[in-house]
Amino acid sequence: MPLSERSESKGRMRGAPLTGAMMTERLAAVRARHRQEALERGINPRDVDVLLSDIVGKSLPYLIGHGEESVDAAPLDKLLARRYAGEPLQYIRGKTDFFSREFLVDDRVLIPRPETELVVEAALSRAGRGAHVLDIGTGSGCIAISIERERPDLRVIAVDNSIAALALAARNRARLSSRIALAASDVLSGIRGAFDLIVSNPPYIAAKEIGALQVEVRDFEPHGALTPGKSGTEVIERIVEESRRLLRPDGRVIMEIGFGQESTLREIAATKRFDVEDLISDLAGIARVIVLSAHG
Ligand SMILES: C[S@@+](CC[C@H](N)C(=O)[O-])C[C@H]1O[C@@H](n2cnc3c(N)ncnc32)[C@H](O)[C@@H]1O
């Protein structure tokens, strides 16, 4: 029987009554069987270890050192069936790490990416004491909450046009004892005030490129968080345009950009009378974060 069918029938405990007794196996056997199946399906076997650790409530070294202990394999079968269907590990676990903190995530929000930590670093290094910071498209709240938790002297407001995303950001705010303000706004249309820093990881993928994304992204992450429309720069252009009204004279816009968008961003900045003050590359050497300052 192919591994896939074996796994599915095991998930149903091979016709056993649903209310039947728990079927236990040795931890080492469960782990070895699922790591092998994950490899055959092109899934990182580390995902098996992470989910097994969550279920057992013990660390990986514990799992390795106590392979003779018994475990009910059914919960792991269920979670891995979701992983094999393409669901990202972070949604299955309901959480991920960003800037050394744990954030709740689900299909209402984009999963925070490591390269987005560059936006946080760029903001922290430029924020004067007591600066006012605005995060556009906050999603899980990861950028805004990280900035505020690192620097409680800053006043941070975070906006999104997704009410569902704002609800999850509010849960992260409470869990992480953050004091950011949250508001619904289409880019900056609902916002008044004066800001020293406007930060954002906006949706920047051109609509026609969505079909070519990994299944994990294309079929599971919210499309409103991925693409703003045909060109991919629709929200970026609006952020640059609308920021002028709210930026203080020596304020900055700090934004994540997509692969290959650097020259388009330079054109947008020039048209909207902004200077490109800095371009920060990620670990792969891709220009990932742009820092703009207004002139004229
Ligand atoms: C790429 S996600 C970034 C989420 C989060 N800041 C992060 O870095 O993980 C973009 C976010 O922008 C929001 N968004 C999309 N269009 C928007 C608009 N017109 N106005 C405000 N927010 C918008 C989406 O709902 C989504 O939460």
Side-chain angles (χ1 to χ4, degrees), residues 131-133 155 191-197 245-249:
H132 289 204
V133 182
R155 202 166 141 207
I191 303 300
R192 282 186 176 71
F195 296 89
D196 302 286
L197 294 177
R245 177 174 64 85
L246 298 177
L247 265 190
R248 286 189 169 143

Side-chain angles (χ1 to χ4, degrees), residues 232-267:
T233 55
E234 289 89 342
V235 169
I236 286 178
E237 286 183 55
R238 284 188 60 197
I239 290 173
V240 179
E241 171 78 37
E242 296 175 29
S243 287
R244 187 163 275 284
R245 177 174 64 85
L246 298 177
L247 265 190
R248 286 189 169 143
D250 55 356
R252 303 278 183 276
V253 176
I254 301 173
M255 222 176 354
E256 182 168 324
I257 62 171
F259 175 72
Q261 286 180 333
E262 180 186 334
S263 59
T264 311
L265 255 294
R266 286 188 184 279
E267 283 167 30

Side-chain angles (χ1 to χ4, degrees), residues 257 262 265-266 276-281 287-291:
I257 62 171
E262 180 186 334
L265 255 294
R266 286 188 184 279
V276 176
E277 186 183 281
D278 201 3
L279 257 176
I280 302 161
S281 297
R288 190 54 78 183
V289 173
I290 195 162
V291 182

Side-chain angles (χ1 to χ4, degrees), residues 110 112 116 137-139 142-143 160-162 185-187 201-203 224-225 238:
L110 188 95
T116 303
T138 199
C142 61
I143 295 176
D160 206 291
N161 69 347
S162 161
S185 177
D186 176 18
V187 188
N201 173 20
R238 284 188 60 197

